[in-house]
């Protein structure tokens, strides 16, 4: 209470000083005009009593406003109680800002909670998935130790390759949230980036006996090589995963050399799933059938393309294949 009284007096020190000066001048003028001293003293006394009564009433209002504020802000930021009525425009703006900040904190906490839960779900699924190639390699090693006929070297390499893929996925997932600090934009040969992705998956093409049709790309694109390569690898990985037999074709769109098309003859995507394939965690009908899909790969592709100012879309027909379209043109940045 003492601190509250001192704060109130400090806040109202100007009116108090003005009243004291006014009372002193009032007393001096009347005294100089010969007004009796007892009458002056009585007038000063009545004035002081009136001033103290009004001050006490104003302090009670001040105390009540502080109490209302404490109650209103007691459950912040989750709940904002009834604020005292604003006395002026600055106080009204302060109250509006408090409400805005409270809503912003709640939104941020909700977003953080959702993001944390999504990350926990992803890591749980990732840990489950990576057990499959590790278990396969363990069985192979046990067969070798027992002198039994096991898988060949190629199968072993494929399981190691899958493990590397899962590790790359989780690292990219962590880095993609703050991608802007890890970008190096330059002009690169699109052909060289595509060939890197194809070389990485060449063994899988051979093992699954999938034919590759590649039309060399002559365009240079303004992009980040590492992250564009990641996008291409994810698209190729999906194409190989859902193509049992047939062909995967990589080419540029006629008349648009900076638009890359990756076409497969796989199982395709259901029409109702197609609008959502780039959503985080969405696996769709094919993912539920496969039981190994995370719903993260294409989500990362869309996020990365957005950061690179590229666009990625998909068109598909169930049973006939899927075409992923990567628009890598950035004309507005080339002229900057």
């Amino acid at each position: 209470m003492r601190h509250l009284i001192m704060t109130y007096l400090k806040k109202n020190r100007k009116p108090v000083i003005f009243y004291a000066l006014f009372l002193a001048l009032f007393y001096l003028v009347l005294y100089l005009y010969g007004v009796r001293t007892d009458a002056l003293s009585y007038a000063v006394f009545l004035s002081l009593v009136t001033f103290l009564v009004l001050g006490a009433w104003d302090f009670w209002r001040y105390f009540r406003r502080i109490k209302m504020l404490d109650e209103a802000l007691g459950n912040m930021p989750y709940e904002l109680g009834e604020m005292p009525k604003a006395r002026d425009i600055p106080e009204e703006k302060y109250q509006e800002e408090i409400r805005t900040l409270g809503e912003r904190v709640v939104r941020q906490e909700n977003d953080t909670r959702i993001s944390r839960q999504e990350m926990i779900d992803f890591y749980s699924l990732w840990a489950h998935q990576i057990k499959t190639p590790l278990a396969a390699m363990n069985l192979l090693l046990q067969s070798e130790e027992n002198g039994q006929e096991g898988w060949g070297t190629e199968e072993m390499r494929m399981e190691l390759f899958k493990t590397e893929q899962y590790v790359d996925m989780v690292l990219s997932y962590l880095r993609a949230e703050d991608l802007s600090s890890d970008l190096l934009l330059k002009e690169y040969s699109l052909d060289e980036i595509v060939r890197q992705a194809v070389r990485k998956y060449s063994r899988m093409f051979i093992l699954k006996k999938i034919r590759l049709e590649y039309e060399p790309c002559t365009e240079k694109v303004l992009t980040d090589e590492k992250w564009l390569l990641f996008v291409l690898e994810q698209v190729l990985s999906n194409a190989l995963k859902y193509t049992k037999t047939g062909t995967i074709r990589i080419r540029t769109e006629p008349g648009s050399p900076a638009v890359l098309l990756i076409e497969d003859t796989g199982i395709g995507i259901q029409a109702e799933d197609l609008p959502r394939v780039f959503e985080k965690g969405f696996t769709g009908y094919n993912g539920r059938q496969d039981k190994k899909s995370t719903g993260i790969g294409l989500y990362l592709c869309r996020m990365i393309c957005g950061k690179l100012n590229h666009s990625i879309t998909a068109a598909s027909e169930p049973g006939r294949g899927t075409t992923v379209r990567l628009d890598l043109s950035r004309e507005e940045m080339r002229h900057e």
Side-chain angles (χ1 to χ4, degrees):
M1 180 62 69
R2 181 181 177 184
H3 174 69
L4 190 62
I5 294 173
M6 295 302 296
T7 303
Y8 175 78
L9 291 175
K10 185 176 181 180
K11 175 179 178 291
N12 293 281
R13 62 184 181 277
K14 290 183 179 179
V16 171
I17 294 173
F18 175 79
Y19 169 77
L21 290 174
F22 176 80
L23 191 61
L25 289 173
F26 174 79
Y27 186 91
L28 178 63
V29 169
L30 292 181
Y31 177 78
L32 292 175
Y33 272 89
V35 178
R36 290 167 47 188
T37 304
D38 57 343
L40 286 177
S41 299
Y42 186 66
V44 169
F45 173 74
L46 290 177
S47 176
L48 282 172
V49 169
T50 303
F51 180 77
L52 290 174
V53 169
L54 291 176
W57 178 71
D58 188 63
F59 175 76
W60 177 79
R61 291 179 58 198
Y62 177 76
F63 174 77
R64 190 175 64 174
R65 286 179 64 83
I66 296 297
K67 188 176 180 180
M68 286 183 66
L69 278 173
D70 287 339
E71 292 175 353
L73 301 177
N75 294 322
M76 281 285 287
Y78 307 104
E79 180 183 350
L80 180 63
E82 183 180 359
M83 301 277 282
K85 186 177 179 181
R87 291 178 174 178
D88 49 32
I89 293 178
E91 190 172 341
E92 183 179 345
K93 290 188 177 295
Y94 282 131
Q95 291 186 7
E96 290 177 0
E97 187 64 23
I98 289 172
R99 293 188 183 94
T100 302
L101 289 174
E103 292 171 358
R104 188 179 303 169
V105 169
V106 171
R107 283 198 303 270
Q108 287 178 345
E109 288 193 355
N110 289 335
D111 291 344
T112 301
R113 191 179 301 110
I114 292 171
S115 178
R116 176 178 172 78
Q117 186 59 49
E118 288 177 345
M119 185 167 290
I120 291 172
D121 293 342
F122 172 72
Y123 284 136
S124 300
L125 181 59
W126 177 83
H128 176 74
Q129 283 186 318
I130 205 169
K131 287 179 181 178
T132 303
L134 291 175
M137 287 185 285
N138 187 44
L139 286 174
L140 176 57
L141 290 173
Q142 288 179 4
S143 299
E144 292 288 340
E145 290 173 358
N146 297 330
Q148 300 174 358
E149 185 179 350
W151 295 345
T153 305
E154 286 301 320
E155 286 78 3
M156 183 70 167
R157 286 176 177 170
M158 285 308 304
E159 297 306 321
L160 284 170
F161 178 74
K162 291 178 184 177
T163 306
E164 290 175 356
Q165 274 189 299
Y166 290 139
V167 173
D168 288 342
M169 172 73 76
V170 75
L171 290 175
S172 299
Y173 181 79
L174 291 171
R175 293 169 182 163
E177 296 296 332
D178 189 23
L179 190 63
S180 56
S181 62
D182 191 35
L183 289 179
L184 178 60
L185 295 176
K186 290 170 53 179
E187 280 201 337
Y188 294 95
S189 168
L190 180 57
D191 184 73
E192 291 181 5
I193 298 177
V194 173
R195 288 181 184 275
Q196 288 183 59
V198 170
R199 279 196 297 270
K200 182 172 181 178
Y201 285 87
S202 59
R203 291 186 180 278
M204 189 173 288
F205 274 99
I206 295 170
L207 189 65
K208 296 192 68 174
K209 298 180 181 178
I210 302 295
R211 188 170 67 255
L212 172 66
E213 293 183 3
Y214 175 54
E215 299 177 8
C217 313
T218 59
E219 185 74 357
K220 286 187 176 293
V221 293
L222 182 61
T223 188
D224 180 281
E225 181 182 29
K226 181 180 73 173
W227 287 106
L228 179 58
L229 182 60
F230 174 83
V231 172
L232 292 175
E233 289 173 356
Q234 288 302 308
V235 175
L236 274 179
S237 175
N238 276 4
L240 284 163
K241 181 188 298 184
Y242 296 112
T243 302
K244 306 303 179 184
T245 59
T247 305
I248 293 177
R249 185 183 183 193
I250 304 174
R251 62 188 178 94
T252 54
E253 190 173 69
S256 303
V259 176
L260 190 67
L261 302 176
I262 302 174
E263 305 164 330
D264 65 59
T265 56
I267 60 177
I269 304 171
Q270 299 293 319
E272 61 272 19
D273 291 341
L274 194 58
R276 300 184 60 194
V277 292
F278 294 102
E279 291 183 11
K280 188 174 186 178
F282 182 75
T283 58
Y285 175 80
N286 294 338
R288 289 188 292 272
Q289 293 293 109
D290 181 63
K291 293 185 175 60
K292 295 179 181 178
S293 178
T294 61
I296 297 295
L298 289 179
Y299 162 75
L300 288 176
C301 289
R302 185 186 65 175
M303 179 194 293
I304 291 166
C305 284
K307 298 285 187 179
L308 294 173
N309 201 26
H310 303 329
S311 69
I312 182 170
T313 54
S316 183
E317 187 175 342
R320 302 196 65 178
T322 301
T323 299
V324 175
R325 184 178 185 271
L326 276 169
D327 188 349
L328 310 175
S329 57
R330 299 172 56 129
E331 293 298 328
E332 75 285 355
M333 294 197 68
R334 284 180 180 161
H335 297 307
E336 287 182 356

